[in-house]
Amino acid sequence: MLARRIIPCLDVKEGKVVKGVHFENIKDVGDPVELAQRYEEEGADELVFLDITASYEQRETMIQVVEKIAEVLTIPFTVGGGIGATGQVANLLRAGADKISINTQAVLKPELISELAEMFGSQCVVVAIDVKRTWDRINRRSYWEVFINGGRTPTGKDALSWAQQVEKLGAGEILLTSMDTDGTQTGYDISLTRKVAERVRLPVIASGGAGKLEHLLAILREGKADAALVASIFHYRYFSIGEAKAYLQKRGIPVRVED
Amino acid sequence: MIAIVDYEIGNLYSIFKALERLGEEVVVTNQAQEIREAEAVVLPGVGSFEKAMENLEKKEIKEVIKENQEDGKPFLGINLGLQLLFEKSQEAPRKKGLSLLPGEVVKLPPTNKIPHMGWNRVYFKKNSPLTRDIPQGRFFYFAHSFYVLPEEPQAVVGICNYNVVIPAIVNHDNVWGFQFHPEKSSVWGMKVLENWVRSWKK
């Protein structure tokens, strides 16, 4: 049976991991390579690196970081942030990334998804969707709206139909972030994730809101997510990946643990 | 020297690094001559069956791979590289595969989430030098939408279950294929690669 995945997410700025990451025995707490290795040893199923600066000059830095990460990791990893051109994707994959994640450019130019899927295969095209519950004043109803530019720009797009469109265009996975729960550590958005997971036949990675192990259980069970993206829980050492997986396994969620 | 066939498809760096970590001399190449001279050949690959076959034909690598098989040279296909070894694929019904192994490549049933993406347990159907020191039911990393159906059931060395039985390790004489990515499958992935190298290395 396919295991549900636990995926630590690292924000990278100018070649350094920026969100507070509290590991002991690590010389440079912001070194993405050391952290990547540490998370693999702890049992991470995959890693996601988000380049949160992604200005033109800094893309070169990211390529170098990706090369160094690929040298040490033997689990898959995804790179996202500011990706909009097929040449850029080719460079990241050549540097050793297994998947890339696109967000804003996918919304602005949906055919980019098909282009990338055709060129590199669907399995390496992750479409990230940032979603916020919004009140539609005309139809007097609330809906899940897609946001771009790091959550700054509303698009008026309905997240559920966008997810379906993304699937048709050839995406291999959806990375679904709820802006309502992101950073709150009060739990993932279960109803949003479940709705999306039921609408598409693609794997869905849920993101935003994990603060306790119960949240992981809820998103994988009730939320029907295939994978959970986690930041604070692991970065601040509330729990180790091993503890999280043992907790889930005990409650009947299939996870990758050595038995 | 192990030659990794470069036919402009996907991430070759990880498999290169993995083999290098085992202490092997490795070259990534699209030159027929270099592939011909190598001690063993790895055909990696992600992406589309049709485009991959076109690239292999264009670079005359297809012929070298066939020669290799006749010479009994160790050969390993990974993911799409495994699927290309068969005669045909539902992914590109009009494109002929390398046809080193009898059988075809079919689409995963639509009732499954596609791609089959993530870690799944692999069970061995028989003992072989490649499965040495690897217990039953270890996790390996998969990322694919099609899977192989060998005509000869005895070619299947290992399987995994994704609502259908998927051949995960396939073997016929000197030709081996993995549906999973050993270079992305952490400790057990490295072990199965090491076993492959040991199986032919003198």
Side-chain angles (χ1 to χ4, degrees), chain B residues 133-202:
Chain B
D133 298 331
I134 304 176
Q136 290 282 12
R138 294 303 95 174
F139 283 97
F140 290 81
Y141 182 80
F142 292 82
H144 63 114
S145 304
F146 294 81
Y147 66 106
V148 301
L149 285 180
E151 221 163 73
E152 308 161 8
Q154 65 272 24
V156 180
V157 174
I159 55 152
C160 84
N161 198 320
Y162 187 51
N163 300 323
V164 286
V165 171
I166 297 172
I169 304 176
V170 174
N171 169 234
H172 183 80
D173 296 334
N174 57 311
V175 178
W176 285 88
F178 300 150
Q179 184 56 70
F180 51 81
H181 285 277
E183 76 281 15
K184 288 290 158 189
S185 297
S186 200
V187 180
W188 299 116
M190 286 303 294
K191 186 73 203 164
V192 78
L193 264 186
E194 185 190 338
N195 285 346
W196 174 68
V197 172
R198 283 206 186 153
S199 72
W200 50 264
K201 191 114 192 171
K202 275 138 207 135

Side-chain angles (χ1 to χ4, degrees), chain A residues 32-33 36 47 49 64-73 77:
Chain A
V33 180
L47 293 173
F49 295 90
Q64 287 160 16
V65 173
V66 168
E67 274 172 5
K68 288 194 193 124
I69 292 166
E71 233 167 84
V72 298
L73 275 195
F77 69 99

Side-chain angles (χ1 to χ4, degrees), chain B residues 56-153:
Chain B
L56 288 176
E57 285 161 8
K58 210 162 51 194
K59 299 206 151 71
E60 292 167 25
I61 297 169
K62 191 179 162 183
E63 289 70 33
V64 187
I65 290 175
K66 291 203 161 170
E67 279 171 39
N68 277 346
Q69 193 201 19
E70 285 157 21
D71 300 347
K73 186 186 283 189
F75 188 94
L76 175 63
I78 296 172
N79 195 3
L80 180 64
L82 159 68
Q83 298 176 3
L84 294 170
L85 302 177
F86 287 81
E87 294 164 300
K88 57 182 176 176
S89 172
Q90 284 180 357
E91 194 186 347
R94 275 171 296 181
K95 196 81 197 161
K96 230 174 147 250
L98 291 168
S99 309
L100 303 191
L101 301 174
E104 61 174 328
V105 183
V106 297
K107 180 108 180 140
L108 284 164
T111 44
N112 276 337
K113 287 212 168 190
I114 297 174
H116 174 215
M117 174 84 79
W119 299 80
N120 209 332
R121 293 182 188 273
V122 170
Y123 297 92
F124 306 129
K125 303 301 280 182
K126 53 182 176 188
N127 285 325
S128 86
L130 267 72
T131 62
R132 189 172 299 150
D133 298 331
I134 304 176
Q136 290 282 12
R138 294 303 95 174
F139 283 97
F140 290 81
Y141 182 80
F142 292 82
H144 63 114
S145 304
F146 294 81
Y147 66 106
V148 301
L149 285 180
E151 221 163 73
E152 308 161 8

Side-chain angles (χ1 to χ4, degrees), chain A residues 1-3 5 40 45-46 67 70-71 73-76 93-99 118-121 123 172-173 197 201-203 226 255-259, chain B residues 9-14 17 21 46-48 51 110-121 138-139 141 143-144 161-162 183-188 190:
Chain A
M1 194 193 223
L2 189 62
R5 288 166 283 157
E40 170 170 353
D45 296 309
E46 274 183 55
E67 274 172 5
E71 233 167 84
L73 275 195
T74 56
I75 56 170
L93 295 177
R94 205 173 304 128
D98 298 285
K99 311 177 194 179
E118 265 166 48
M119 287 178 81
F120 307 107
Q123 82 297 323
E173 256 176 322
R201 301 301 308 157
L202 292 178
D226 299 278
V255 286
R256 179 177 68 105
V257 285
E258 294 299 342
D259 41 29
Chain B
I9 242 154
N11 161 9
L12 304 178
Y13 190 67
S14 305
K17 271 325 274 189
R21 243 176 257 146
V46 294
S48 94
K51 210 167 137 210
T111 44
N112 276 337
K113 287 212 168 190
I114 297 174
H116 174 215
M117 174 84 79
W119 299 80
N120 209 332
R121 293 182 188 273
R138 294 303 95 174
F139 283 97
Y141 182 80
H144 63 114
N161 198 320
Y162 187 51
E183 76 281 15
K184 288 290 158 189
S185 297
S186 200
V187 180
W188 299 116
M190 286 303 294

Side-chain angles (χ1 to χ4, degrees), chain A residues 213-224:
Chain A
L213 297 185
E214 288 91 318
H215 299 151
L216 298 180
L217 178 65
I219 198 63
L220 296 173
R221 193 185 268 164
E222 283 88 50
K224 297 192 170 182

